[in-house]
Amino acid sequence: MKSPLITLLLAFSLMVCKAQETKPGPQLPPETGETFKVGVAGYTFVKFDLDKTLETLKALDVHYLCIKDFHLPMNSTDAEIAAFHEKLKAHEVSGYAVGPIYMRSTEEVDKAFTYAKRVGVKLIVGVPNVELLPYVEKKVKEYDFKFAIHLHGPDINIYQDADEVWNHTKNLDPRMGMCLDIGHDTRNGKDPVADMEKYHTRVFDMHIKDVTGPTKSGYSLEVGRGIIDFPEMVKMIRKVGYTGVCSLEHERNMDNPFMGIAESLGYFRGVIETTKE
């Protein structure tokens, strides 16, 4: 016969076990069920290796990475590419595109397309010289890839904003479009929300960031601390039915960006949640 104390202890243990069994887990990320995905642009981790990058993505429940060549060099062997993908898979991350890749010759265009094919993606984020666009279009048709020109605001002389990319690509193959960097578009005096509405059929990738002002002197900072209207941006992304990735490209405190990355993703995901109808 069990003593009253043993019976009480058993009952308490059973209660604890049941409480643990029914303890609710975390909710799914706010982007779950949306047409678009939330990811990170590889440049965010330019000063860190792949292991640190993937460790951070796992901690933040992010599953999409735009691959930069400092994490997977363009001359990687088949074995190195396979090992790279295995490492991503272990962290539940998908490398959905490569780039940005600068292209100043036909040889560099060829190299970029060959690289993308070997990596196993069908989206290249690139910055080709303007005179190379007909050749890039030829390669797009040959490979059946999408090519997203990365706009870079007033810092470079080409592809400064969405208008300029559109004007260069509107008469080309419909798989030629843009990576809409909403921060750089804003720094060139444009409205990225309006540009998303105008050019959404050619927006194949997005770089999410915030900036302090609509001029060249405006600089990147944590999402939510600048001038970009993120609730309107998210509403427009939904309105046009964007199906690509919204990749955070964090460019502040690059030696120790982790708090800023977490803050930016948290804010962006908060906007996704609070703007749902």
Side-chain angles (χ1 to χ4, degrees):
M1 182 176 179
K2 295 175 184 174
S3 72
L5 178 59
I6 292 175
T7 302
L8 184 60
L9 288 172
L10 287 171
F12 179 74
S13 297
L14 184 60
M15 235 168 49
V16 170
C17 288
K18 285 185 177 178
Q20 288 175 339
E21 287 172 5
T22 59
K23 184 178 180 180
Q27 295 183 13
L28 294 170
E31 66 268 22
T32 303
E34 300 283 357
T35 60
F36 59 90
K37 305 171 184 69
V38 172
V40 172
Y43 183 72
T44 298
F45 297 98
V46 64
K47 296 193 176 183
F48 299 90
D49 63 17
L50 182 63
D51 289 335
K52 186 63 176 177
T53 298
L54 295 176
E55 173 191 319
T56 305
L57 296 188
K58 189 173 182 65
L60 296 171
D61 203 10
V62 173
H63 303 280
Y64 298 92
L65 174 69
C66 188
I67 301 165
K68 277 294 287 179
D69 55 2
F70 50 73
H71 284 151
L72 184 64
M74 295 182 72
N75 61 355
S76 295
T77 65
D78 290 345
E80 288 168 336
I81 292 173
F84 175 87
H85 284 303
E86 281 300 313
K87 191 170 281 191
L88 263 62
K89 184 178 179 182
H91 289 80
E92 299 180 328
V93 171
S94 172
Y96 73 90
V98 294
I101 301 174
Y102 288 79
M103 305 168 196
R104 301 174 181 85
S105 67
T106 55
E107 291 76 18
E108 289 184 347
V109 174
D110 290 341
K111 187 177 180 181
F113 276 83
T114 300
Y115 172 64
K117 184 176 181 179
R118 293 181 65 236
V119 172
V121 300
K122 299 197 71 172
L123 172 63
I124 298 174
V125 180
V127 189
N129 285 2
V130 173
E131 67 272 14
L132 293 171
L133 287 176
Y135 188 72
V136 172
E137 181 185 31
K138 177 183 174 183
K139 303 301 284 188
V140 162
K141 292 177 179 178
E142 178 185 342
Y143 281 77
D144 188 23
F145 284 177
K146 285 184 177 178
F147 192 93
I149 295 175
H150 182 267
L151 58 92
H152 211 90
D155 297 330
I156 61 175
N157 293 326
I158 55 173
Y159 313 128
Q160 293 186 332
D161 55 43
D163 288 338
E164 187 172 354
V165 177
W166 170 260
N167 288 332
H168 280 300
T169 60
K170 63 184 178 181
N171 296 320
L172 300 177
D173 188 282
R175 290 163 290 191
M176 298 276 291
M178 70 182 77
C179 170
L180 178 57
D181 185 310
I182 65 173
H184 289 317
D185 200 46
T186 300
R187 290 177 63 243
N188 215 48
K190 300 303 173 74
D191 177 356
V193 178
D195 285 343
M196 185 65 177
E197 184 171 34
K198 284 190 290 186
Y199 304 131
H200 65 91
T201 58
R202 296 292 184 99
V203 176
F204 303 142
D205 194 28
M206 293 184 71
H207 280 177
I208 300 299
K209 62 178 62 134
D210 211 343
V211 292
T212 59
T215 64
K216 185 174 182 177
S217 60
Y219 58 86
S220 181
L221 77 173
E222 291 80 3
V223 172
R225 296 197 190 192
I227 65 169
I228 294 177
D229 188 339
F230 279 92
E232 289 305 310
M233 187 78 249
V234 170
K235 289 176 186 176
M236 184 56 67
I237 289 169
R238 284 197 188 101
K239 178 181 175 181
V240 301
Y242 175 65
T243 59
V245 182
C246 297
S247 275
L248 175 71
E249 188 177 47
H250 185 73
E251 296 177 307
R252 191 181 191 201
N253 301 326
M254 301 296 279
D255 289 326
N256 186 16
F258 304 105
M259 294 294 285
I261 294 169
E263 178 182 336
S264 295
L265 284 170
Y267 181 89
F268 188 61
R269 282 171 157 167
V271 171
I272 292 171
E273 183 63 38
T274 56
T275 55
K276 288 180 178 179
E277 295 181 354

